[in-house]
Amino acid sequence: MTIFSKIINGEIPCYKIAENEEFFAFLDINPVNWGHTLVVPKRETDYIFDIADDELARMMIFAKRVAKALRETIPCRKIGVTVLGLEVPHAHIHLVPLKNEGDMNFSKKISDPDPEKMKQIAEAVRANMEEV
Ligand code: 5GP
């Protein structure tokens, strides 16, 4: 079982943003910028482009809902979208609030983010989430 499946199952805590029967969204524990969120399918697949077409389409629509709430919550210009998957073998989309290009620099993460700030961000984004 991947670390993300353990988060989805509640075995490992997270700052949850949203969930439906197929997908789960939570704050990245080492954000590149405040509000950095991961969108993960509950069904484990390592490589995102191995996901079936219809599931991948629904995953992007779920990510769209999360991005809307992020954009309404975190002061930013747009929500950037990245797929890496080099660390955790469970497909996921990174959503990152951007003011400029440098806000999407995965070599410069916020180390040891304040838990209280993470909690407040997650609560604020959840309050702006529509039905998923
Ligand atoms: P990638 O697989 O896309 O290269 O990177 C995995 C991402 O997952 C990283 O940005 C990392 O900070 C995040 N991550 C890894 N383990 C955990 C975890 O246990 N909890 C959370 N919330 N994020 C994690």
Side-chain angles (χ1 to χ4, degrees), residues 9-124:
N9 293 342
E11 293 171 50
I12 294 175
C14 72
Y15 302 97
K16 183 175 162 180
I17 300 295
E19 174 179 18
N20 69 10
E21 53 295 336
E22 282 188 292
F23 307 107
F24 196 94
F26 54 101
L27 295 183
D28 193 297
I29 204 65
N30 289 122
V32 296
N33 201 12
W34 296 110
H36 178 176
T37 297
L38 303 176
V39 169
V40 182
K42 291 185 176 177
R43 185 204 308 268
E44 276 186 19
T45 303
D46 176 0
Y47 180 47
I48 193 161
F49 293 129
D50 284 336
I51 294 175
D53 292 359
D54 53 347
E55 185 179 348
L56 188 59
R58 289 193 298 274
M59 183 175 172
M60 190 52 88
I61 291 166
F62 180 91
K64 179 180 176 180
R65 305 279 184 273
V66 175
K68 181 169 183 285
L70 280 172
R71 197 176 188 203
E72 285 169 7
T73 312
I74 314 277
C76 64
R77 287 173 57 201
K78 290 186 177 175
I79 303 300
V81 182
T82 294
V83 175
L84 297 173
L86 297 175
E87 185 187 323
V88 179
H90 186 151
H92 50 282
I93 295 171
H94 295 260
L95 298 176
V96 180
L98 302 175
K99 284 186 177 155
N100 55 61
E101 213 177 271
D103 290 335
M104 187 65 108
N105 182 353
F106 281 79
S107 313
K108 257 178 61 183
K109 290 184 149 195
I110 300 168
S111 60
D112 209 12
D114 176 23
E116 190 51 39
K117 181 159 182 174
M118 294 285 275
K119 186 166 163 259
Q120 282 172 9
I121 288 172
E123 279 170 8

